[in-house]
Amino acid sequence: MNKKIKLLIMIPLMVLSKGILADSISIDPMQKISSQVSTNEPNVVSVYNDKIISVTANSGNILSNNKTNDGKISFTTKATKSFNMVIETETGFTFTLIAQPSSHFNGASLTVYNKQAKGNDEAISFETDKDSYSGLITDSLTQVMRGKSPIGFVETQSATHHLPTNITQYLDVKGINSWNGHNYIIQQFNVTNRTVQPIELNERYLWEQGVMAVSFTPNITVLKPNMSITAYVVRKGVK
C-alpha cells in the first residue's frame, strides 16, 4: 500500500512529538524538517515561488541530484540511514531536510513554503501605486477574496496571531493562509465561537499591533455557538 510522506517539524534544540502527513509544509528560515524518502524512485523537493540553487549532503548519500527549469530538485538515494540535506534557494531561504530513506515508500514530492517570504518589485508597485491606505486595503482584500494573490505577493500557507486569552477563551482563531507583500501582509483565519452563547462580532477582537484592517466573511453581525466564519487581516510588515 502506498503511503504518504510523513513530515516531522523540528525547531532547533526542540523536537515536536507530533507527526504531520502532508506533501507541503510551511516553515521559517533555518528550520529543520524530517521526511521519509524513497530509495527506489526519484524524490522531488520544491520551494513555492522560489528556485533551489544549492543542495549539500555528506558524500555518498545522494546518488543523483538534478535541478529542473522551474527550480525544483530531483534526487535519488540508496542510503540506509537518515542524512541531512541543506537546501538554499535563489532568495537566500535556507533550511535542512532530514531525509529518512526507505524502500517501502514511493518517491517523495514535497513543496516547502517560506513563512517569511517577501513580495517582489511588483508587490512594491502594487503597494505604492494606491492613492490611500483604504485603496490598498480594498484592492488587496478584493483580490484575495476572489481567490487571487495580489500582484507580486507570495503565498505562505501559514498565518499566526498573538491574541490575548480574553479573546481566545471565547473565539478559536486558526491560521489558514497569508500573502506576503513587501511591506504588508494579508492573513486568513478561521474564527469559531467556542462558547454556548452568541457572540456579537467586532473587528477589534482581532486587532493587534500593526493591524490596518479586519474583514469578516460572510458579512454577519452575530456568531452563533460553534459557528465559524473567515476573517481577513491586513497588517504592516513582513515577519
Side-chain angles (χ1 to χ4, degrees), residues 147-196:
K148 300 179 180 179
S149 178
I151 297 174
F153 281 54
V154 182
E155 186 177 358
T156 70
Q157 292 282 302
S158 172
T160 58
H161 63 77
H162 303 283
L163 298 171
T165 54
N166 64 334
I167 298 296
T168 56
Q169 65 180 324
Y170 301 114
L171 295 174
D172 181 23
V173 183
K174 292 183 177 179
I176 303 298
N177 205 350
S178 69
W179 296 261
N180 290 3
H182 190 77
N183 295 303
Y184 302 95
I185 305 172
I186 306 163
Q187 297 176 305
Q188 180 184 7
F189 296 97
N190 187 71
V191 181
T192 303
N193 179 355
R194 65 196 317 168
T195 74
V196 296

Side-chain angles (χ1 to χ4, degrees), residues 46-72:
S46 64
V47 176
Y48 181 77
N49 204 55
D50 207 343
K51 292 184 176 182
I52 295 173
I53 60 172
S54 173
V55 178
T56 304
N58 288 339
S59 177
N61 284 320
I62 296 179
L63 296 181
S64 66
N65 173 19
N66 301 309
K67 298 184 181 69
T68 65
N69 292 334
D70 56 356
K72 299 176 182 178

Side-chain angles (χ1 to χ4, degrees), residues 111-128:
T111 300
V112 178
Y113 289 80
N114 179 6
K115 289 183 180 180
Q116 299 186 30
K118 262 198 169 186
N120 58 24
D121 290 343
E122 289 183 314
I124 297 176
S125 297
F126 180 87
E127 294 170 353
T128 57

